[in-house]
């Protein structure tokens, strides 16, 4: 559930970009107390990751700042070339 889509697909990947994804998942779990993408079926989980099918629990979403929402969206970007970078 913490692996970036490119890792699940088994293609060459940038480990730093994949770590950003994993940190985004951890941040989501810390705020939402659940995983953003989970499924026993790996293909279904990958499909949810690529479609960005994650939602915050009611009440949590209304308390998030626009900067936090932006960080979540940019961290959980399925396209590694568009994902936020670490300096």
């Amino acid at each position: 559930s913490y692996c970036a889509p490119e890792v699940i697909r088994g293609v060459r990947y940038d480990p730093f970009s994949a770590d950003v994804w994993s940190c985004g998942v951890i941040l989501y779990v810390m705020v939402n107390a659940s995983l953003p993408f989970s499924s026993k079926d790996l293909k279904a989980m990958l499909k949810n990751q690529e479609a960005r099918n994650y939602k915050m629990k009611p009440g949590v979403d209304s308390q998030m700042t626009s900067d936090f929402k932006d960080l979540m969206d940019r961290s959980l970007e399925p396209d590694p070339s568009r994902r936020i970078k670490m300096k």
Side-chain angles (χ1 to χ4, degrees):
S1 297
Y2 294 87
C3 288
E6 62 271 22
V7 175
I8 293 172
R9 277 189 250 114
V11 298
R12 286 184 57 109
Y13 64 91
D14 173 18
F16 295 107
S17 181
D19 284 351
V20 168
W21 173 277
S22 297
C23 288
V25 172
I26 292 167
L27 181 60
Y28 180 95
V29 170
M30 290 172 60
V31 170
N32 213 47
S34 65
L35 289 167
F37 313 102
S38 64
S39 176
K40 291 182 180 181
D41 178 23
L42 199 55
K43 287 183 181 183
M45 186 173 66
L46 184 59
K47 187 175 181 179
N48 283 331
Q49 287 177 336
E50 290 175 345
R52 298 174 102 173
N53 284 338
Y54 68 90
K55 292 184 170 76
M56 294 297 200
K57 288 183 180 176
V60 172
D61 189 45
S62 63
Q63 296 177 15
M64 294 187 324
T65 66
S66 60
D67 287 341
F68 182 81
K69 288 178 185 180
D70 182 57
L71 177 62
M72 289 298 306
D73 285 342
R74 293 177 70 196
S75 298
L76 296 177
E77 166 59 55
D79 180 350
S81 68
R82 295 178 35 201
R83 194 174 298 144
I84 193 170
K85 306 289 185 239
M86 294 185 350
K87 292 183 180 181

